[in-house]
Amino acid sequence: MKEISCKLLVVGAGPGGYVCAIKAGQLGIDTVIVEAARPGGTCLTVGCIPSKALIHAADEFEKVVHAAAGNSPLGIALSGPALDLARTVAWKEGIVGRLTSGVAGLLKKAKVKTVHGWARFRDGKTVEVETETGLQMVRAEAIVIATGSAAVELPSLPFGGPVISSTEALDLSEVPGRLVVVGGGYIGLELGTAFAKLGSEVTVVEALPRILPLYDAELTRPVGKRLAELGVEVLTGAKARGVSPGKDALLVETADGKEVRLPADRVLVTVGRRPLTEGWGIEELALDMAGKFIRIDDQCRTSMRGVYAIGDVTGEPMLAHRAMAQGEMVAEIVAGRKRSWDKRSIPAVCFADPEIVSAGLSPEEARALGREVKTGLFPFQANGRAMTTESEVGFVRVIARADNHLVLGIQAVGQGVSELSAAFSLAIEMGARLEDVAGTIHVHPTRSEAFVEAALRTLGHPLHI
Ligand code: FAD
Ligand code: NAD
């Protein structure tokens, strides 16, 4: 058996692991990273990037279909739009290929050694990797667990045949005629909307009383309206019971207790993701857990000395940028720098139609802390840029402390608002007050002007409404 020693070993090269390894390498730490699949993890290979590529393709296709139907107020006319999904998927794979080889190159540039294969812990300092050329032992002073997550499988709907997870949905060669999506959360709505735009007849089955329960109803209302416009049927308070014996339909118990049969060519199950905590020897470490996740402290330390954990395996929010920020922090800690998790905002975006963004606290969360708060909302209906891009739906909403006007939270729903997330998060991290936002010149005409106006409205003196 081959054996290597290093200062830092990272298990898993998703956004958490690869960022940690690159940063550690840049800091001069002798680092090894182990990855069983392609570098980039869920995010780059079957998650964030492929889904956003498909969503973009679907948006473009829907625009031309809309124009071909004679519905364009811009005077654009065309006929016979068609889609070759196999080509769309090949284009998406091209982007994935560029990014994964980019990550491999960055690891190399930072002098990180990559070992390809499945890692298994022997103890808190030693990992065995099954590589193509045999077993490789890696000994390390510090180890980072960044093994990520996998799609949750429902016992009544095991994956296989027509029942698919997001991974298969992102790799289809034909648009399903009838698609039933189980779970109206992030993935269900992002991909369900994309397939509706690509021509599928889509039904969403959500167990809770409303879609996207993570966001408040004011934010999700425009998404529900748009789903209806796209012809997507949404069944809330409904439970999937399993596929029909002929495997051509999903059996569902509706909110009023009736059983209905939803014909389906594919059933996409998107009911959450579970941390990947089995198959790599967690039992050898006896780590403290926080439910199904690995328990960590504010430096991402686990209960075992020298063993850190980052990313999806450590809990919610399971987002790529949280994993990256944790990875970067842990590399600095291993390098001897003083760091701890002190983020006020882990912004989140749902790339539905329209997009939703949330940074910091929602009005309910802020009130629950016992603070008196002020909120103000500015609708895109009163924003010039929104009018010129035919997308007046949505708003920006600001929540601030009533006493000193410190901004506690900012949310928005609308076309392209994902790009406003940077400004929202920066304001919160820098401790901006309403007056700071209101006093910052924002370019005209842009959607970002709605941010200033929301701050002005919270102060009680908006200009453009
Ligand atoms: P992962 O990305 O899951 O990486 C873990 C890696 O570890 C994998 O490559 C795996 O092969 C490897 N591994 C595991 N165990 C071992 C082992 N024993 N030996 C060797 N290798 C191992 N998040 C966002 O922020 N924005 C989005 O738009 C977004 N969209 C998404 C869309 C979809 C369809 C999905 C499924 C997820 C999406 N996410 C999004 C979530 C995001 O992908 C995850 O939060 C992120 O990838 C977590 O990073 P990670 O490093 O913790 O784990
Ligand atoms: P999710 O938690 O966002 O949504 C799951 C939905 O399924 C919930 O609304 C839940 O109520 C519903 N549900 C659960 N069990 C059900 C059942 N038996 N029948 C019907 N509905 C049921 O999970 P997801 O959409 O699978 O995404 C997983 C995670 O991946 C997200 O939580 C997020 O962290 C990450 N993600 C992020 C993005 C983004 O940042 N834009 C995009 C995709 C995924």
Side-chain angles (χ1 to χ4, degrees):
M1 188 189 301
K2 288 180 282 179
E3 218 175 294
I4 47 175
S5 294
C6 57
K7 170 140 185 188
L8 176 67
L9 168 64
V10 181
V11 180
Y18 85 71
V19 166
C20 183
I22 291 172
K23 184 73 190 176
Q26 288 172 346
L27 292 170
I29 298 171
D30 172 23
T31 306
V32 173
I33 190 164
V34 186
E35 172 56 57
R38 284 193 283 178
T42 304
C43 171
L44 260 50
T45 62
V46 292
C48 322
I49 296 295
S51 59
K52 269 75 243 180
L54 189 77
I55 290 166
H56 172 68
D59 283 348
E60 295 301 295
F61 185 60
E62 199 257 339
K63 265 187 221 159
V64 293
V65 168
H66 188 71
N71 293 333
S72 169
L74 310 182
I76 297 170
L78 50 97
S79 61
L83 179 91
D84 177 350
L85 187 63
R87 240 177 115 176
T88 312
V89 169
W91 164 75
K92 177 263 300 179
E93 268 308 304
I95 297 168
V96 171
R98 271 166 60 200
L99 287 170
T100 53
S101 48
V103 168
L106 291 170
L107 287 166
K108 208 168 159 194
K109 191 173 155 207
K111 300 196 170 50
V112 175
K113 181 174 171 48
T114 301
V115 177
H116 299 280
W118 185 258
R120 229 194 120 76
F121 277 80
R122 269 205 177 171
D123 57 47
K125 299 252 175 254
T126 325
V127 161
E128 267 176 21
V129 188
E130 282 171 45
T131 71
E132 271 186 359
T133 53
L135 266 192
Q136 163 96 64
M137 180 101 83
V138 188
R139 285 185 207 284
E141 286 170 37
I143 301 188
V144 177
I145 301 168
T147 50
S149 64
V152 168
E153 192 170 28
L154 289 174
S156 60
L157 281 174
F159 293 127
V163 182
I164 58 173
S165 75
S166 55
T167 300
E168 292 75 45
L170 291 165
D171 233 6
L172 294 175
S173 50
E174 276 176 31
V175 176
R178 293 159 310 181
L179 176 71
V180 178
V181 179
V182 180
Y186 271 101
I187 303 179
L189 290 192
E190 289 187 0
L191 296 188
T193 305
F195 278 106
K197 290 177 179 175
L198 294 173
S200 296
E201 209 177 281
V202 177
T203 307
V204 176
V205 177
E206 165 59 49
L208 292 179
R210 59 184 191 83
I211 53 164
L212 286 175
L214 216 68
Y215 296 101
D216 59 74
E218 193 172 39
L219 280 170
T220 58
R221 206 165 291 124
V223 174
K225 224 174 139 201
R226 179 69 175 134
L227 288 171
E229 272 170 28
L230 289 168
V232 175
E233 191 181 358
V234 179
L235 302 178
T236 51
K239 293 183 193 84
R241 290 286 179 223
V243 282
S244 62
K247 300 204 169 183
D248 59 350
L250 180 76
L251 305 175
V252 172
E253 186 185 323
T254 57
D256 51 11
K258 287 194 193 117
E259 179 155 301
V260 294
R261 193 177 167 279
L262 301 175
D265 299 303
R266 300 279 182 171
V267 177
L268 169 58
V269 180
T270 57
V271 294
R273 294 186 58 86
R274 61 177 174 81
L276 226 158
T277 48
E278 71 277 345
W280 49 258
I282 195 172
E283 54 285 356
E284 308 299 332
L285 307 180
L287 299 178
D288 283 358
M289 304 297 284
K292 54 193 176 158
F293 300 103
I294 297 176
R295 184 191 294 281
I296 52 166
D297 67 6
D298 64 355
Q299 293 187 311
C300 291
R301 292 181 300 192
T302 67
S303 54
M304 185 176 248
R305 206 182 155 85
V307 178
Y308 299 80
I310 58 175
D312 283 9
V313 78
T314 64
E316 302 279 358
M318 289 199 248
L319 298 174
H321 40 281
R322 168 179 174 267
M324 291 189 211
Q326 289 178 320
E328 192 252 345
M329 178 185 80
V330 168
E332 293 208 343
I333 291 169
V334 172
R337 295 190 181 171
K338 276 211 168 76
R339 287 285 307 270
S340 64
W341 190 259
D342 59 355
K343 309 290 180 207
R344 287 189 192 180
S345 151
I346 305 174
V349 170
C350 179
F351 294 82
D353 184 4
E355 293 173 348
I356 299 178
V357 50
S358 179
L361 304 179
S362 70
E364 269 168 50
E365 287 166 341
R367 282 188 199 106
L369 290 180
R371 294 232 175 269
E372 208 185 312
V373 297
K374 282 167 164 282
T375 73
L377 176 154
F378 189 82
F380 285 119
Q381 254 172 354
N383 173 276
R385 181 66 178 158
M387 290 179 201
T388 62
T389 51
E390 304 172 89
S391 47
E392 297 170 34
V393 168
F395 55 82
V396 176
R397 185 179 71 191
V398 175
I399 300 106
R401 269 173 66 158
D403 55 356
N404 61 8
H405 299 173
L406 182 74
V407 177
L408 300 173
I410 312 159
Q411 290 85 33
V413 54
Q415 195 194 72
V417 294
S418 54
E419 293 299 333
L420 296 183
S421 62
F424 294 175
S425 233
L426 189 68
I428 293 171
E429 286 295 345
M430 295 196 74
R433 291 169 195 246
L434 291 171
E435 290 80 356
D436 297 318
V437 178
T440 303
I441 297 178
H442 285 64
V443 169
H444 176 74
T446 63
R447 291 180 159 264
S448 67
E449 289 172 282
F451 182 25
V452 184
E453 287 286 351
L456 284 170
R457 206 171 185 197
T458 314
L459 286 167
H461 44 81
L463 287 164
H464 287 91
I465 199 162

